[in-house]
Amino acid sequence: MKNVKILHLLLFLVFLHACFARADFAPYFYDNGPYSHNGNLALFSLSEDTAVGTQIYSLNGTDPEGQEVRYGISFDPGSKEYFRVDPVSGNITLVEQLDREKQDSIDVLVSITDGRSEVVERVTIFVMDANDEKPDFQNMPAIIDVLETTESGSSIFKVEAVDRDTGSGGSVTYYLQNPQPTLFAIDRFSGVLRIKSGEMLDYEKTKTHFVTVVAKDGGGNFNGKEQFMSSSATLTINVIDAQDTPPSFIGTPYFGYVYEISVPGSEIFTVLAKDGDVGNPNPIHYSFEEGDDGVFHINKTSGCITLLTLPIYLKREIFNIKVKASEVSPEGILLDYGLATVVIRVVDLNNNPPTFYGEKGPQNMFELTMYEHPPEGEILRGLKITVNDSDQGANAKFNLRLIGPGRMLRVVPQTVLNEAQVTILVEDSAAMDYEKNHFLTYKLLAVEIDTPERFSATADIVIHLLDTNDNAPKFSSDYYIARIPENSPGGSNVVSVTATDPDSGPWGEVKYSIYGSGADLFLIQPASGIIYTQPWASLDAEVRSKYNFYVKAEDTEGKYSLAEVFVTVLDLNDHPPAFNDNFLETTMVIGAPVKIEAVDDDAEIPNNVIEYAIMKADPDNNIFDINADTGEIMLKSYIKSMAIIQNITKQRDCTWSLVVQARDRGQPSFSTTAVIKIDITEAVKSRFVSYFLGLRKRPGAVFGICLTVVTFAISLTIFISTLMYWNSVKKSRIQSQGKIRKIRGRPVP
């Protein structure tokens, strides 16, 4: 029985071992906290300005059985997939641009598996703000209306702008773009726009103001740098006119006429007045103030004056009637008013033509002297012209026309009843130019309108224009190009510049001057514009060949213009070629050329282009050719060895003296000759041997080499002797000390 129990126990233990051997525990993530960059991504945060492609995190976990794990990442259906994970390393990479203002957190499913079991966790990644948003105006651009009587310091608008960033990047302050000339001020923090203290709006001066407001955030980090962002918008402020100006009559003075044939109800004259507050005018009410004697009537709304009785009942020939024009408020109350006088004459039949009058009576010629270019709209006040038709009513109604060149002037009124003061206005100021016309002639024509006779009259108007300094001198060209040969004597003419000023008198006189970094060597005649070199100037193309400077033409009042002058110093062939001394003695190896060199200091081609030629050879047999362009000297092609040379010259000494000419290509041409000594040697000789062969014609160099060798040998002998001497001295001292020790060691007898 005991053995059976033991057997059962053993079977149970075997069963338990088999169960545990087949057990598989799931892998798990490490939780390293919110500030770690590896683990299970829990509570991880990421700035929205992180660049796409950046590795932001590493998933990190393990399997209890030590199995290799794989990582995964997924998103909810329909969500943008911002990240990608490497399944082996667990490295997470950002693949889509973040925008906190659109999505401030991202839910992610991260997984870890060992091939059998998989663990999935939902984590939230928080997107942190970066200063990447500009302030956004909520109520601008906008148009507002402000009454011109609004008190100084009053608030007229509140600007609102929102920055979707957080922290300092989301705070907004306000500024005006150009605060100096404006009438307005803005509170930096609230955005309230006010009329500046001490300032008032004025509709009659400016009807509309444009104010540009800048909204700026408080700055914040973006891509590792401090960044401030701003926006601007324009506020349009329309000034509303207030009732602060009385009515004024238009077209005064007024003249009306009653004719012999007039009947009660005939229209005599119509006055016109307008409210001075043109932005918001009130209606006008017309009435007689005095002088109408009860025989005339005025329409209170149109201002039309009519006759109430027959002309024969009129007691006077001339009526001076004061007309009152009053503003009418919306409530019907009469407010401010203005007064004007209407002169009404009683006239007879059409038996008088229109007539022009001056200050001394009838006149058909009027003259005026004035400066050119008067302001447009200006009245020619020097012309005192009155036109009159002594008839009455329609017989005295006529048109005025001004006939003359262009549309420089305009006459008002264009229609006259009986009599009017003629006003000539400037319409085209630019055309009234003294340089084009010294005087202008016009015909002033008055022609009756509704009479069978169509009587008319003309008057000549002559306007003499006076010149003003309205033109600056103008050069004939914007730039001048001059050339002057080098070595020209001081005071030589370079170029003549010309500028004209169409103004008359002293204003048309031009004075020239020059300035600029290149003007030091030049002078200009102030009156003629002739530019010439300084008396001491010496131009050399090899030193400097280009100069440029400015010439200024100025009138007596300082109006000026500029032109640029470019001066080129022309090179002359004034330098002969010069040989380089280093090439006058040389050794030539058969088969290889030697080169000589000459230099020409002239600045330009062909003056500095050199041609080479062999003029003479000693011995007479010329066995050399020379490249005319490069100066390379070579043996003729059939010479291949020293034996050929010695056979030609019958000499063993292979030394030649060549007379070589270097000639430039200038006009006139300069040349220089030099004697070139050439030692010829075989090509098989070493360079060392060639060098010493070349020393045969250089005794100075040979002496220097020998002196150097002797000096070195003497120095070496002295050094070795000194070394041997000190060595022997040292040995003598050692032997002496040994003898002394031996003597001291002997026993005393």
Side-chain angles (χ1 to χ4, degrees):
M1 188 67 178
K2 185 177 181 180
N3 292 334
V4 172
K5 289 182 179 181
I6 292 172
L7 180 62
H8 286 169
L9 179 61
L10 291 175
L11 291 174
F12 179 71
L13 291 175
V14 170
F15 173 76
L16 288 178
H17 181 268
C19 290
F20 280 111
R22 291 193 302 269
D24 180 28
F25 293 97
Y28 60 89
F29 284 107
Y30 294 124
D31 187 357
N32 295 327
Y35 301 108
S36 174
H37 283 77
N38 64 82
N40 63 350
L41 208 62
L43 299 178
F44 180 67
S45 60
L46 185 64
S47 178
E48 66 175 325
D49 60 352
T50 302
V52 173
T54 303
Q55 179 182 323
I56 62 167
Y57 198 85
S58 292
L59 293 176
N60 191 9
T62 187
D63 181 70
E65 291 81 28
Q67 297 292 323
E68 183 179 2
V69 296
R70 292 287 188 272
Y71 302 97
I73 190 169
S74 61
F75 299 83
D76 291 333
S79 299
K80 181 181 286 190
E81 298 183 1
Y82 287 94
F83 311 104
R84 183 181 297 122
V85 66
D86 185 301
V88 177
S89 66
N91 292 335
I92 298 176
T93 303
L94 179 66
V95 296
E96 293 287 345
Q97 185 64 53
L98 301 175
D99 189 344
R100 188 202 65 83
E101 286 71 32
K102 293 182 180 178
Q103 186 175 354
D104 59 0
S105 64
I106 302 170
D107 290 332
V108 178
L109 298 173
V110 294
S111 63
I112 184 172
T113 178
D114 60 1
R116 294 181 180 180
S117 300
E118 182 181 28
V119 175
V120 179
E121 296 183 8
R122 176 181 290 274
V123 295
T124 299
I125 298 176
F126 298 98
V127 181
M128 307 306 292
D129 189 38
N131 192 26
D132 61 342
E133 295 287 333
K134 293 182 178 180
D136 182 29
F137 286 93
Q138 303 298 298
N139 56 352
M140 286 180 66
I143 301 174
I144 63 172
D145 296 330
V146 181
L147 195 64
E148 68 173 327
T149 55
T150 303
E151 294 183 2
S152 174
S154 300
S155 302
I156 59 174
F157 190 74
K158 186 177 189 300
V159 180
E160 294 182 2
V162 175
D163 193 318
R164 294 191 298 168
D165 290 318
T166 60
S168 62
S171 64
V172 180
T173 53
Y174 303 92
Y175 306 88
L176 296 185
Q177 194 169 64
N178 295 309
Q180 291 80 8
T182 187
L183 301 173
F184 309 96
I186 192 169
D187 186 277
R188 291 180 56 188
F189 303 103
S190 67
V192 173
L193 186 70
R194 293 183 171 84
I195 300 174
K196 274 186 180 179
S197 178
E199 300 286 353
M200 291 292 292
L201 302 178
D202 190 339
Y203 177 86
E204 284 69 33
K205 289 184 178 179
T206 307
K207 298 178 178 59
T208 304
H209 298 271
F210 300 96
V211 178
T212 301
V213 179
V214 177
K216 183 178 180 182
D217 65 21
N221 188 60
F222 183 76
N223 288 333
K225 296 181 179 179
E226 183 81 5
Q227 174 170 280
F228 295 86
M229 304 193 75
S230 63
S231 301
S232 63
T234 300
L235 177 67
T236 303
I237 303 172
N238 293 323
V239 182
I240 305 302
D241 193 21
Q243 298 298 326
D244 57 356
T245 306
S248 60
F249 285 91
I250 297 173
T252 60
Y254 294 140
F255 298 95
Y257 302 93
V258 177
Y259 302 98
E260 293 175 309
I261 58 174
S262 297
V263 296
S266 297
E267 179 181 332
I268 307 301
F269 194 80
T270 299
V271 297
L272 178 62
K274 289 187 177 180
D275 188 352
D277 303 303
V278 295
N280 185 24
N282 281 328
I284 302 298
H285 177 276
Y286 299 96
S287 61
F288 288 138
E289 185 74 6
E290 61 179 32
D292 62 300
D293 290 358
V295 296
F296 298 98
H297 173 266
I298 188 169
N299 187 295
K300 64 181 181 180
T301 56
S302 68
C304 180
I305 300 174
T306 55
L307 183 65
L308 294 178
T309 185
L310 291 171
I312 59 174
Y313 297 115
L314 299 178
K315 304 287 186 183
R316 291 186 285 168
E317 186 177 346
I318 298 176
F319 293 85
N320 292 301
I321 303 174
K322 282 192 176 181
V323 179
K324 182 178 182 180
S326 304
E327 292 183 51
V328 182
S329 70
E331 294 79 17
I333 301 173
L334 298 182
L335 304 174
D336 284 351
Y337 63 89
L339 296 175
T341 299
V342 180
V343 179
I344 299 178
R345 287 186 176 184
V346 181
V347 296
D348 56 5
L349 297 176
N350 185 32
N351 51 10
N352 295 288
T355 305
F356 291 102
Y357 293 88
E359 293 179 319
K360 297 181 180 180
Q363 190 173 328
N364 58 9
M365 169 71 77
F366 298 89
E367 293 188 81
L368 173 66
T369 300
M370 62 183 296
Y371 286 104
E372 63 177 336
H373 304 307
E376 292 183 2
E378 181 173 299
I379 298 173
L380 305 188
R381 301 188 184 279
L383 295 174
K384 306 293 185 181
I385 306 174
T386 303
V387 63
N388 174 266
D389 189 325
S390 299
D391 292 319
Q392 302 293 327
N395 293 334
K397 191 174 184 180
F398 55 92
N399 287 334
L400 288 177
R401 284 188 295 169
L402 195 61
I403 302 172
R407 296 183 178 180
M408 304 180 201
L409 303 176
R410 178 169 58 92
V411 63
V412 291
Q414 294 182 346
T415 301
V416 179
L417 183 61
N418 190 253
E419 185 176 285
Q421 183 77 31
V422 178
T423 302
I424 308 295
L425 301 175
V426 176
E427 193 161 73
D428 187 353
S429 173
M432 299 182 69
D433 191 346
Y434 174 85
E435 285 72 34
K436 296 178 181 178
N437 300 290
H438 290 2
F439 62 89
L440 305 171
T441 301
Y442 286 85
K443 285 281 188 183
L444 183 59
L445 178 64
V447 181
E448 291 181 348
I449 302 174
D450 298 324
T451 64
E453 298 83 6
R454 298 296 298 270
F455 291 138
S456 65
T458 61
D460 292 322
I461 297 177
V462 179
I463 300 174
H464 300 275
L465 294 178
L466 299 177
D467 194 19
T468 61
N469 189 20
D470 59 333
N471 295 285
K474 182 175 179 60
F475 280 98
S476 59
S477 176
D478 292 334
Y479 59 89
Y480 295 87
I481 297 176
R483 296 175 177 85
I484 182 172
E486 66 176 341
N487 299 332
S488 295
S492 298
N493 289 349
V494 178
V495 67
S496 178
V497 299
T498 304
T500 57
D501 191 326
D503 292 319
S504 63
W507 293 324
E509 296 176 1
V510 179
K511 181 181 179 181
Y512 300 94
S513 60
I514 59 175
Y515 68 92
S517 60
D520 297 340
L521 297 182
F522 303 93
L523 297 172
I524 189 170
Q525 293 181 4
S528 66
I530 296 175
I531 298 174
Y532 57 97
T533 59
Q534 293 270 13
W536 45 264
S538 177
L539 301 178
D540 191 340
E542 288 75 39
V543 176
R544 182 174 179 181
S545 61
K546 302 288 184 182
Y547 296 86
N548 70 290
F549 50 86
Y550 291 95
V551 58
K552 179 179 181 182
E554 185 176 13
D555 64 18
T556 54
E557 288 190 350
K559 291 188 176 182
Y560 68 91
S561 62
L562 299 175
E564 193 165 5
V565 178
F566 299 88
V567 179
T568 299
V569 180
L570 300 177
D571 184 40
L572 298 180
N573 192 21
D574 55 352
H575 291 87
F579 279 96
N580 189 332
D581 292 341
N582 294 332
F583 297 96
L584 298 183
E585 292 187 11
T586 183
T587 299
M588 174 184 286
V589 177
I590 293 177
V594 296
K595 184 177 180 181
I596 61 172
E597 185 178 82
V599 178
D600 193 312
D601 290 335
D602 286 313
E604 300 176 358
I605 58 174
N607 296 336
N608 59 5
V609 177
I610 299 174
E611 293 180 343
Y612 300 93
I614 297 175
M615 307 303 294
K616 183 180 178 182
D618 185 22
D620 291 337
N621 305 84
N622 188 1
I623 61 173
F624 299 96
D625 288 327
I626 188 168
N627 188 311
D629 295 323
T630 64
E632 286 187 344
I633 300 173
M634 63 206 77
L635 292 170
K636 291 186 181 293
S637 58
Y638 62 84
I639 297 177
K640 305 296 185 181
S641 67
M642 289 291 293
I644 296 174
I645 297 174
Q646 291 170 355
N647 186 40
I648 292 172
T649 61
K650 309 301 182 182
Q651 297 178 7
R652 298 190 62 82
D653 185 7
C654 295
T655 300
W656 254 259
S657 293
L658 300 183
V659 178
V660 179
Q661 180 190 69
R663 176 181 293 275
D664 62 32
R665 295 182 180 177
Q667 291 295 331
S669 177
F670 289 98
S671 64
T672 302
T673 59
V675 177
I676 311 298
K677 293 187 180 298
I678 301 177
D679 288 334
I680 302 175
T681 183
E682 290 282 3
V684 296
K685 294 180 180 178
S686 66
R687 291 186 179 179
F688 184 76
V689 175
S690 297
Y691 174 74
F692 277 99
L693 286 175
L695 293 178
R696 290 182 298 172
K697 302 299 182 179
R698 298 167 61 189
V702 173
F703 176 76
I705 293 173
C706 294
L707 181 61
T708 302
V709 172
V710 171
T711 303
F712 176 76
I714 294 172
S715 300
L716 183 61
T717 302
I718 294 173
F719 175 75
I720 294 173
S721 300
T722 304
L723 191 62
M724 293 175 64
Y725 169 75
W726 285 110
N727 190 32
S728 64
V729 170
K730 184 176 181 181
K731 288 182 179 180
S732 299
R733 288 179 179 176
I734 293 173
Q735 292 175 357
S736 300
Q737 289 176 359
K739 292 178 180 180
I740 293 171
R741 289 193 189 99
K742 288 180 181 180
I743 295 171
R744 289 178 179 175
R746 291 177 183 176
V748 179

